Amino acid sequence: MGGEMLPPDEAGPDDVVLSWEGSDVVAVRLPQLADSLDHILAAMERKKGKPLAELDRKSKQEVVRILEARGAFSVRHGVETVASALGVSRFTVYNYLNREKNV
């Protein structure tokens, strides 16, 4: 997910501090979910070997299925971000999502 480890005394309010036998050992700073979505989309492009916008409709539907399973659409502006990466409208992404629920 792209987390970052840092000393416990540098932990912020959103960081997770891990303790061992009562002593703080390390803090973990998790990335913002929106940043993670960008990383996931970039990884999918690398896996497919070309920009997601150049995929055929069936492949784009598969991408949407994978992203839904990873929680991409629970991120603020997730649908818009995915639609932009796929080169389709938000309406098309919603259609792909609804198609999966009706199958």
Side-chain angles (χ1 to χ4, degrees):
M1 264 323 238
E4 174 186 357
M5 295 188 330
L6 49 133
D9 59 336
E10 294 179 21
D14 293 331
D15 297 332
V16 177
V17 178
L18 302 176
S19 299
W20 178 258
E21 296 183 353
S23 298
D24 293 341
V25 179
V26 69
V28 179
R29 180 165 295 153
L30 300 174
Q32 298 296 317
L33 288 176
D35 294 338
S36 296
L37 179 54
D38 291 336
H39 289 292
I40 292 169
L41 289 168
M44 293 185 88
E45 280 193 345
R46 285 191 301 276
K47 183 177 178 183
K48 297 289 185 181
K50 59 182 169 182
L52 298 178
E54 294 179 9
L55 298 175
D56 61 27
R57 183 175 47 95
K58 184 176 179 181
S59 296
K60 288 180 181 182
Q61 289 171 336
E62 177 186 348
V63 166
V64 168
R65 224 178 5 259
I66 292 167
L67 291 171
E68 183 179 28
R70 292 187 177 185
F73 302 110
S74 62
V75 175
R76 182 176 165 103
H77 301 298
V79 171
E80 292 86 348
T81 301
V82 171
S84 177
L86 292 175
V88 299
S89 68
R90 291 179 326 151
F91 180 75
T92 299
V93 172
Y94 284 119
N95 279 340
Y96 291 169
L97 289 168
N98 288 333
R99 170 180 218 123
E100 289 306 309
K101 289 179 173 77
N102 294 327
V103 171

